[in-house]
């Protein structure tokens, strides 16, 4: 792989306007009975039926797909790709890179494309990763993969034979439960939304399954592209309603919001639900509603959503949608506020990848793909074009004063050599006045295989350089023509671990297929422990075995003799034991200790010299 120097380019401006609102009272009550129950760990038979269109028909002259391609072509003429750009970030690349912690392969290629990655991780260190069309479980306490099941097998008790796709997952820190949502069917006579609530905090345990109608108003439409978030009491799911037999561009009618009592889902009771429709401004429907998740924690009872004019070649408008109160409230309102940014967003260009001939990756449109709220600010991300380089980029917006007089500013995150897309974002800060976030995304270029990267933002206009989470092994070759690069990526704050976010994204494997990579990102080397600030290039440390045996061995190589402290701490950073303080000689040394006093769990060995931390290493006791 060609080595490249990483640069960073950002455009940023700010404008404040007085937003206005429009009340919308279109809603319909539903009571959805539980359809079935299934225990994920007990699933043995998995037929995993997947239908993949490997050679998409060429777009007709009047098709919306052709129109989107024409937009990309016209923008490429005005903003051509440049081999190198001298406009680098000067004086603003001041934020530390995120630290890459545990990372490993997740869902493997499942005969479908794109991945549609999403992730959920519990306070008890149970992790779920979803993609088209599988659910992968992992135990972070023991570093153990617990298996993968297809969406078809997961919902086998529903006896629904239709295609299953577009999975989403979340973890609820209030109820200590998981939610998985995916779609079934693509025509009005066979369309539904499967909603699965875990009965416990063990994703391998029992799940309550429900089916929401995909054609809730019986008007010949079907549901596409779900997004979800939760408040203290409710689950919100957004979908697009489309005409059957048409593309997602031209068949779009409107976006609706499902509002659901989540406690009933965990308990297996009938769901008290409301669907909100008619969400529009000046007679034009607001499209692709992205729910805004919480920052440090979830919020409520209100819920916010974001949208933009994602199919316009370029635009400056962001729509802030607000649903007040819980189901059944007599004062509930839906308001739509247009906000104008001084930084335009653009339809993103297609992305090159290495390989024979012209190998392109599809970037779709500029819809908002992820958002969170903290400190009365909403931060969000979407695909974009960097006009200075002609490359695919990430648009990072910030809405200030959400609860009073919202206004929006934005930056474009770009690299002159790498092209990036399908971002997500999560809060990684420490609360009041700290607006730090992690933005993860896919990367590729004509010389770099598709992989996964991330960047830190301080939420005030400064960023870190890129950190590579997973380098691609090969180019993607799944379908004929332009390859599907993704529809979305996963990101979730670890709610009981300050400064930690888990993400998943898509990379090219050795067989030229799309796999999922899962990673832990943090502000420091460990949550609650400061990162090494002055580690010598000649100092190295190796721990084995890991997970621990009866005796833990530590091989340490020092560039020069030093007085070291070996300290054992738990996952919160609390000191368990200072194991040793002594002089350690230059060269190779071995240190060992008994693990007998430790109970099962995750620990960290912290080796330091005075105020200088040499390394912090994660240990597991099974």
């Amino acid at each position: 792989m060609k080595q490249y120097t990483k640069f960073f380019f950002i455009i940023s401006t700010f404008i404040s306007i007085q937003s206005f609102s429009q009340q919308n009272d279109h809603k319909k009550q539903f009571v959805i009975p539980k359809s079935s129950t299934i225990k994920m760990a007990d699933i043995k038979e998995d037929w995993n039926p997947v239908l993949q269109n490997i050679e998409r028909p060429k777009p007709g002259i009047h098709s919306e797909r052709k129109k989107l391609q024409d937009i990309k072509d016209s923008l490429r003429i005005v903003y051509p790709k440049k081999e190198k750009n001298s406009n680098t970030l000067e004086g603003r690349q001041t934020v530390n890179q995120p630290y890459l912690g545990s990372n490993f392969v997740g869902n493997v290629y499942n005969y479908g494309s794109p991945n549609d990655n999403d992730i959920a991780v519990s306070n008890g260190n149970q992790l779920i990763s979803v993609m088209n069309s599988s659910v992968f479980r992992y135990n972070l306490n023991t570093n153990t993969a617990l298996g993968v099941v297809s969406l078809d097998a997961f919902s086998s008790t529903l006896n629904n034979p239709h295609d299953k796709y577009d999975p989403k997952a979340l973890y609820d820190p209030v109820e200590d439960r998981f939610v998985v949502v995916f779609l079934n069917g693509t025509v009005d006579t066979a369309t539904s939304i499967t909603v699965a609530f875990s009965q416990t905090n063990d994703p391998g345990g029992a799940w309550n399954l429900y089916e929401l109608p995909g054609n809730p108003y019986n008007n010949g439409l079907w549901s596409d592209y779900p997004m979800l978030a939760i408040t203290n009491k409710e689950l919100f799911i957004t979908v697009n309603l489309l005409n059957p037999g048409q593309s997602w561009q031209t068949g779009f009618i409107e976006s609706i919001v499902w509002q659901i009592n989540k406690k009933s889902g965990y308990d297996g009771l009938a769901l008290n639900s409301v669907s909100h429709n008619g969400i529009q401004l000046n007679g034009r429907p607001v499209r692709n509603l992205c729910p805004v998740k919480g920052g440090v924690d979830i919020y409520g009872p209100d819920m916010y959503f974001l949208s933009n004019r994602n199919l316009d070649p370029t635009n400056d408008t962001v729509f802030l949608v607000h649903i007040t109160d819980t189901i059944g409230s007599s004062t509930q309102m839906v308001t739509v506020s247009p906000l104008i940014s001084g930084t335009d967003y653009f339809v993103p260009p297609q992305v090159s990848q290495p390989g024979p001939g012209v190998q392109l990756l599809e970037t779709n449109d500029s819809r908002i793909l992820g958002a969170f709220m903290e400190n009365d600010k909403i931060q969000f991300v979407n695909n974009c074009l960097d006009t200075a380089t002609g490359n695919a980029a990430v648009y990072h917006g910030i809405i200030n004063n959400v609860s009073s007089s919202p206004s929006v500013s934005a930056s474009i995150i770009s690299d002159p050599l790498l092209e990036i897309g399908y971002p997500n974002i999560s809060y990684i800060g420490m609360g009041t006045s700290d607006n730090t976030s992690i933005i993860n995304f896919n990367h590729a270029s004509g010389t770099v295989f598709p992989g996964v990267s991330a960047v830190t933002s301080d939420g005030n206009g400064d960023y870190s350089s890129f950190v590579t989470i997973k380098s691609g092994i090969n180019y993607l070759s799944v379908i004929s023509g332009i390859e599907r690069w993704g529809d979305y990526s996963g990101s979730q704050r670890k709610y009981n671990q300050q400064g930690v976010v888990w993400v998943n994204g898509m990379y090219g494997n050795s067989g030229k297929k799309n796999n999922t990579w899962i990673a832990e990102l943090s502000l420091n080397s460990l949550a609650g422990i400061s990162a090494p600030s002055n580690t010598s290039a000649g100092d190295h440390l190796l721990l084995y075995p890991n997970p621990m045996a009866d005796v833990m061995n530590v091989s340490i190589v020092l560039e020069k003799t030093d007085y070291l402290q070996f300290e054992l701490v738990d996952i919160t950073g609390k000191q368990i034991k200072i194991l040793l303080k002594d002089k350690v000689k230059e060269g190779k040394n071995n240190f060992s200790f008994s693990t007998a006093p430790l109970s099962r769990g995750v620990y960290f060995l912290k080796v330091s010299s005075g105020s200088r931390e040499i390394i912090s290493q994660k240990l597991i006791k099974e």
Side-chain angles (χ1 to χ4, degrees):
M1 180 184 298
K2 180 179 177 180
Q3 297 296 313
Y4 56 91
T5 304
K6 292 180 179 177
F7 297 88
F8 207 67
F9 181 75
I10 291 181
I11 309 167
S12 183
T13 54
F14 175 85
I15 187 168
S16 175
I17 68 164
Q18 182 66 41
S19 64
F20 63 93
S21 301
Q22 173 179 296
Q23 184 174 353
N24 182 299
D25 57 2
H26 294 272
K27 60 183 179 181
K28 182 177 180 180
Q29 299 278 346
F30 289 86
V31 177
I32 309 295
K34 184 178 76 169
S35 297
S36 65
T37 300
I38 194 167
K39 186 174 181 181
M40 191 180 295
D42 288 348
I43 297 173
K44 305 301 181 185
E45 186 176 278
D46 192 345
W47 293 94
N48 188 28
V50 177
L51 178 64
Q52 172 67 34
N53 179 210
I54 61 174
E55 186 172 2
R56 291 186 291 175
K58 294 181 180 180
I61 189 171
H62 299 298
S63 74
E64 287 295 315
R65 183 176 161 215
K66 176 64 166 56
K67 291 179 183 178
L68 184 58
Q69 183 62 53
D70 287 345
I71 289 172
K72 293 175 185 282
D73 291 342
S74 64
L75 288 172
R76 188 173 66 248
I77 294 172
V78 180
Y79 306 110
K81 294 182 186 292
K82 300 176 182 178
E83 290 295 324
K84 189 173 182 180
N85 188 277
S86 60
N87 293 321
T88 61
L89 179 66
E90 295 182 4
R92 297 183 63 189
Q93 194 174 327
T94 59
V95 182
N96 291 331
Q97 279 187 333
Y99 175 87
L100 179 60
S102 299
N103 61 104
F104 46 87
V105 66
N107 313 59
V108 297
Y109 175 64
N110 194 42
Y111 303 97
S113 178
N115 273 25
D116 291 348
N117 288 124
D118 204 9
I119 196 168
V121 57
S122 74
N123 291 343
N125 297 316
Q126 301 297 313
L127 182 146
I128 286 178
S129 171
V130 296
M131 66 171 258
N132 270 337
S133 297
S134 65
V135 183
F136 170 85
R137 292 185 296 120
Y138 196 90
N139 186 329
L140 297 173
N141 291 322
T142 60
N143 279 354
T144 305
L146 301 177
V148 60
V149 299
S150 70
L151 296 181
D152 185 76
F154 180 40
S155 59
S156 59
T157 53
L158 297 178
N159 295 314
N160 187 331
H162 302 290
D163 186 31
K164 296 166 181 63
Y165 59 99
D166 282 3
K168 289 281 188 171
L170 63 75
Y171 169 70
D172 182 345
V174 173
E175 299 293 337
D176 193 23
R177 302 287 190 272
F178 291 92
V179 178
V180 170
V181 172
F182 53 92
L183 303 181
N184 309 276
T186 57
V187 295
D188 59 308
T189 55
T191 174
S192 64
I193 306 167
T194 297
V195 185
F197 296 87
S198 69
Q199 290 186 5
T200 70
N201 57 11
D202 176 14
W207 292 72
N208 299 321
L209 304 184
Y210 298 81
E211 282 196 281
L212 305 179
N215 181 19
Y217 310 117
N218 296 314
N219 55 355
L221 305 180
W222 61 280
S223 290
D224 188 32
Y225 197 78
M227 302 188 81
L228 54 150
I230 50 172
T231 59
N232 294 317
K233 294 183 178 181
E234 294 172 328
L235 168 69
F236 290 82
I237 304 170
T238 67
V239 292
N240 296 331
L241 295 185
L242 308 180
N243 273 314
Q246 300 183 37
S247 71
W248 55 265
Q249 298 104 326
T250 188
F252 173 80
I253 300 300
E254 66 172 338
S255 295
I256 68 169
V257 178
W258 284 93
Q259 185 176 5
I260 299 167
N261 182 300
K262 66 180 187 181
K263 186 67 164 56
S264 297
Y266 299 130
D267 293 342
L269 305 176
L271 299 181
N272 182 21
S273 311
V274 169
S275 69
H276 301 270
N277 71 316
I279 302 171
Q280 56 183 289
L281 191 69
N282 299 328
R284 186 177 177 184
V286 177
R287 181 172 188 155
N288 299 315
L289 291 168
C290 175
V292 178
K293 62 189 177 185
V296 167
D297 208 338
I298 59 179
Y299 62 94
D302 295 10
M303 175 58 70
Y304 289 93
F305 308 81
L306 295 181
S307 180
N308 60 10
R309 296 302 190 199
N310 57 290
L311 289 173
D312 286 357
T314 179
N315 207 310
D316 59 5
T317 304
V318 175
F319 300 98
L320 177 63
V321 178
H322 182 197
I323 295 182
T324 65
D325 301 322
T326 56
I327 295 171
S329 171
S330 60
T331 59
Q332 187 172 60
M333 294 178 63
V334 180
T335 63
V336 181
S337 302
L339 308 176
I340 306 301
S341 171
T343 300
D344 290 359
Y345 50 86
F346 295 79
V347 165
Q350 286 153 346
V351 170
S352 298
Q353 61 170 339
V358 179
Q359 298 288 334
L360 293 178
L361 302 171
E362 184 58 81
T363 51
N364 289 346
D365 53 47
S366 60
R367 73 187 62 183
I368 294 173
L369 296 170
F372 74 83
M373 183 166 68
E374 185 67 31
N375 298 324
D376 204 29
K377 296 176 183 282
I378 292 175
Q379 297 190 43
F380 65 92
V381 288
N382 52 269
N383 286 341
C384 192
L385 160 72
D386 174 15
T387 59
T389 63
N391 285 349
V394 167
Y395 189 88
H396 177 210
I398 299 176
I399 300 175
N400 293 291
N401 305 314
V402 174
S403 61
S404 54
S405 56
S407 61
V408 62
S409 62
S411 301
I412 293 177
I413 305 172
S414 179
D415 185 283
L417 299 180
L418 277 181
E419 304 207 55
I420 59 177
Y422 297 104
N424 206 335
I425 186 170
S426 285
Y427 182 68
I428 201 171
M430 303 300 178
T432 305
S433 76
D434 185 352
N435 299 307
T436 309
S437 63
I438 292 287
I439 301 170
N440 58 295
F441 40 80
N442 296 339
H443 73 244
S445 77
T447 58
V448 178
F449 295 129
V452 187
S453 292
V455 67
T456 308
S457 167
D458 67 358
N460 300 306
D462 289 330
Y463 298 82
S464 73
S465 57
F466 292 2
V467 62
T468 299
I469 295 173
K470 175 61 177 175
S471 297
I473 301 172
N474 211 331
Y475 65 92
L476 294 175
S477 181
V478 179
I479 63 176
S480 175
I482 300 174
E483 296 290 335
R484 298 292 303 276
W485 196 24
D487 268 353
Y488 42 85
S489 301
S491 174
Q492 185 211 294
R493 177 185 176 92
K494 185 69 159 53
Y495 291 108
N496 65 338
Q497 215 174 340
Q498 280 192 339
V500 173
V501 165
W502 281 87
V503 302
N504 64 353
M506 173 177 171
Y507 74 98
N509 67 17
S510 58
K512 306 174 186 176
K513 308 302 181 186
N514 41 285
N515 276 10
T516 295
W517 195 259
I518 297 170
E520 173 190 37
L521 299 172
S522 63
L523 292 179
N524 303 308
S525 59
L526 303 169
I529 302 175
S530 299
S533 57
N534 190 27
T535 302
S536 168
D539 296 339
H540 301 283
L541 183 144
L542 174 67
L543 293 88
Y544 60 95
N546 196 8
M548 304 181 201
D550 293 339
V551 175
M552 195 72 202
N553 294 286
V554 182
S555 176
I556 185 166
V557 179
L558 293 185
E559 193 174 50
K560 60 182 181 180
T561 299
D562 204 348
Y563 191 84
L564 299 184
Q565 173 176 292
F566 296 81
E567 178 185 6
L568 199 64
V569 301
D570 66 15
I571 197 168
T572 67
K574 179 182 178 182
Q575 184 185 95
I576 301 297
K577 176 73 174 178
I578 295 178
L579 297 166
L580 182 70
K581 288 184 177 181
D582 209 342
K583 182 170 71 174
V584 180
K585 295 181 179 180
E586 174 186 344
K588 185 175 182 179
N589 302 268
N590 190 71
F591 169 65
S592 63
F593 63 94
S594 172
T595 65
L598 296 175
S599 58
R600 294 178 60 185
V602 178
Y603 302 89
F604 299 94
L605 180 67
K606 178 179 176 183
V607 181
S608 57
S609 172
S611 60
R612 178 174 71 94
E613 182 179 312
I614 293 178
I615 199 166
S616 296
Q617 182 72 39
K618 184 177 183 178
L619 306 174
I620 297 169
K621 178 69 178 290
E622 294 183 336

